[in-house]
Amino acid sequence: MIWQTAEERLALLELLVRGMLKRRRAQAAAWDALGELPWTKRTGRRDELGLVESRRGELAALLDRVWPAWGGALAELIARGLPPTPDGWAALEDAQRAEGLPALPEQLNRRTAAALVAAHSKAALTGRRAAALGGIVTTHDGSVRLRPPEGLVARTPRGAVDLAAVAAVLGEVSLPERALKGGLELEGTVRAALLVENLGAFCDLATIEGWLFAHVPGWDTATVTRLLDRLTHVPVVHFGDLDPNGTRIFQHLRGARPDLRWFVPQFWEELVETKGRPCAWPVDLDVRDAPELVRRLAARDMWLEQEPVAVDPRTPAALEGML
């Protein structure tokens, strides 16, 4: 049924106030309905309706029926210098929400923040909405799963914890984004760091003395980038699937870490005929600087997954060989 949404009712209000209404996607149904009524006429401009002045009273009566509080809403818009449009209405609602904010902590998850200053938690945090939060830091609250080497300690303003000791009990540890943003530092010796794309490979890789293993789940790279800031003097290697997505992820990570190395051991080629699977490589994906095996897979429209290599007994030595 028409005239149920705010956008549809605003179409009536704008036509009444301005005497004209442009067609917008969010108001298309209302625009089409009004175009069929004798209250409107075409103005000569593309996708624009004009009000027939003699029918103004009928339009106001319709507004009274479908939106009894329209007069107060219009007064609010005028008081703030906002137009009777969907954008103007969104700005009014943002302003009203901003005025009703409770006392807030120094940082908020971006979903919580959006729920306070926007219509719902998944709405975009626009510049206007972010400004309403003042100096509050919004977070994605990702985390990075680690298999740390012996002796690696995480220190924050709240204290220190031996990550290897925790991992000895739990198998791994997790560093949250807030801790990394809050000044977490790593103490101890890390000979190299390995970024592992798939969870199974991350869990099943044989431990290598002095190596830090970090899980990088696909495109969720924001938190691991903060980890890399603590490893500026450590060789970093990436290990992922040899497919278009894995290639793009490596290229993306190399943008944050130009010296990132790509683990594609020679023995992986042995699996092409038995484990290789068909896959269309996009023509716009540049693999000219990729390892030779990646280039050959792209040429043949094939891909290889990393899990068999993760448990290959030759893998630890191949990784050590990259240093």
Side-chain angles (χ1 to χ4, degrees), residues 18-23 31 41-51:
R18 291 181 160 180
M20 54 78 66
L21 177 67
K22 291 193 69 67
R23 183 182 177 92
W31 195 93
K41 60 185 178 182
R42 291 301 182 100
T43 65
R45 295 189 181 95
R46 184 180 177 183
D47 292 336
E48 184 178 271
L49 294 175
L51 175 64

Side-chain angles (χ1 to χ4, degrees), residues 80-151:
R80 297 176 187 269
L82 297 171
T85 64
D87 286 345
W89 188 251
L92 173 62
E93 290 186 316
D94 283 353
Q96 291 172 334
R97 283 187 288 261
E99 291 168 355
L101 288 177
L104 298 174
E106 293 181 356
Q107 50 186 339
L108 281 176
N109 180 275
R110 62 192 178 96
R111 298 297 190 192
T112 305
L116 292 172
V117 296
H120 51 79
S121 64
K122 294 181 176 57
L125 270 177
T126 62
R128 181 176 66 217
R129 292 165 179 169
L133 294 168
I136 290 172
V137 176
T138 58
T139 61
H140 286 72
D141 285 314
S143 63
V144 56
R145 296 171 66 166
L146 302 179
R147 291 175 54 194
E150 288 293 327

Side-chain angles (χ1 to χ4, degrees), residues 206-273:
T207 299
I208 305 175
E209 182 181 354
W211 281 67
L212 170 67
F213 295 167
H215 181 219
V216 184
W219 286 102
D220 188 6
T221 60
T223 308
V224 79
T225 300
R226 293 185 179 278
L227 173 68
L228 293 177
D229 290 341
R230 276 92 176 151
L231 301 170
T232 55
H233 302 298
V234 172
V236 181
V237 180
H238 179 72
F239 177 35
D241 291 333
L242 303 186
D243 63 1
N245 199 47
T247 301
R248 286 196 171 104
I249 291 169
F250 172 80
Q251 292 171 345
H252 169 72
L253 287 167
R254 180 169 272 181
R257 182 67 182 248
D259 62 343
L260 182 65
R261 310 176 190 187
W262 198 346
F263 181 56
V264 184
Q266 188 172 3
F267 63 79
W268 202 341
E269 188 172 356
E270 299 169 5
L271 301 177
V272 172
E273 301 306 326

